[in-house]
């Protein structure tokens, strides 16, 4: 259970940091049509380049508990833990009941690094078993029982911000049998809109 608390604290910390301090990521999100209400609803955060949050977590949780979340990796050269999502906007990935279990991160200043990264797989997060935004989409009013399946987090959030709430994402991986089964449980008319 401690992992849920760590994710909750991590989400809250970086969400507040985005809203209170970081104008550049806010401007980037605004350009993508994402206003503060949507930022708040999805608990979007921003991890700055020199984030030192590991020490804060260590006051409440032990090294093993923090390590199991996959939020940090150890830099052996400097013998310190590095935030996996530094310099990225982060999108909390929630399970079906709305608990944060992982993150997706998007770089917003061009660097020689992957545009998107996900949390590594852990005992409580298996990429192919989760569908991003299913917790919200399954509760949205939907007479037609339709759901739009898109590729990434920003695709979901942009459509959601435009008023299309019945939208989910396979988080940039090939659609798996597990994801398809999960979607069928809640929707009878899936519409696939993946990138070309």
């Amino acid at each position: 259970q401690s992992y849920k608390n760590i994710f909750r604290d991590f989400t809250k910390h970086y969400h507040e940091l985005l809203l209170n301090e970081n104008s550049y990521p806010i401007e980037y999100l605004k350009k993508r049509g994402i206003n503060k209400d949507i930022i708040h609803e999805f608990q979007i955060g921003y991890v700055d380049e020199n984030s030192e949050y590991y020490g804060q977590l260590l006051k409440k949780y032990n090294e093993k508990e923090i390590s199991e979340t996959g939020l940090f990796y150890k830099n052996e050269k400097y013998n310190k833990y590095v935030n996996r999502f530094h310099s990225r906007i982060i999108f909390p990935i929630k399970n079906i009941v709305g608990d944060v279990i992982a993150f997706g991160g998007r770089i917003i200043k061009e660097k020689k690094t992957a545009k998107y990264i996900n949390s590594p797989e852990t005992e409580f997060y298996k990429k192919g078993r989760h569908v991003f935004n299913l917790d919200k989409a399954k509760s949205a009013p939907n007479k037609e029982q339709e759901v739009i399946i898109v590729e990434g987090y920003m695709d979901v959030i942009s459509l959601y911000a435009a008023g299309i709430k019945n939208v989910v994402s396979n988080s940039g991986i090939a659609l798996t049998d597990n994801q398809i089964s999960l979607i069928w449980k809640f929707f009878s008319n899936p519409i696939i809109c993946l990138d070309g």
Side-chain angles (χ1 to χ4, degrees), residues 6-172:
I6 295 170
F7 278 120
R8 187 198 60 222
D9 291 354
F10 192 92
T11 302
K12 185 172 185 285
H13 176 76
Y14 288 111
H15 176 59
E16 287 173 355
L17 202 65
L18 171 66
L19 291 176
N20 297 338
E21 292 176 29
N22 280 289
S23 57
Y24 180 75
I26 292 274
E27 287 308 309
Y28 169 83
L29 290 165
K30 268 190 197 159
K31 275 187 205 155
R32 300 288 302 261
I34 296 162
N35 63 28
K36 283 203 174 175
D37 289 343
I38 298 294
I39 291 171
H40 192 66
E41 192 168 347
F42 280 87
Q43 295 176 285
I44 298 169
Y46 180 71
V47 180
D48 51 349
E49 195 161 3
N50 304 306
S51 175
E52 292 292 339
Y53 192 53
Y54 186 85
Q56 292 293 106
L57 287 173
L58 213 48
K59 293 174 185 172
K60 286 173 76 175
Y61 309 101
N62 65 46
E63 201 170 316
K64 182 175 182 289
E65 288 169 331
I66 300 169
S67 174
E68 283 170 354
T69 64
L71 294 170
F72 300 86
Y73 63 88
K74 192 162 192 182
N75 180 322
E76 298 297 343
K77 187 178 171 187
Y78 297 105
N79 194 32
K80 66 179 241 177
Y81 282 93
V82 178
N83 195 314
R84 187 176 298 280
F85 293 99
H86 71 83
S87 312
R88 292 176 185 270
I89 287 175
I90 55 170
F91 307 98
I93 298 169
K94 298 180 179 181
N95 62 17
I96 207 152
V97 294
D99 296 320
V100 178
I101 52 166
F103 291 90
R106 191 195 195 286
I107 210 92
I108 54 169
K109 291 184 179 175
E110 291 311 311
K111 292 188 175 187
K112 286 183 178 165
T113 184
K115 184 159 62 166
Y116 280 99
I117 61 169
N118 287 319
S119 285
E121 296 213 337
T122 60
E123 63 179 280
F124 38 84
Y125 172 61
K126 307 279 183 235
K127 271 180 217 160
R129 293 180 178 272
H130 292 280
V131 176
F132 180 68
N133 201 45
L134 186 59
D135 59 308
K136 283 188 175 62
K138 70 182 175 58
S139 308
N142 188 347
K143 280 198 298 235
E144 305 300 321
Q145 282 297 295
E146 289 177 349
V147 66
I148 298 167
I149 304 164
V150 295
E151 193 103 352
Y153 312 111
M154 285 298 287
D155 301 327
V156 166
I157 294 166
S158 297
L159 283 173
Y160 194 96
I164 299 165
K165 310 279 171 135
N166 54 325
V167 58
V168 298
S169 166
N170 57 323
S171 304

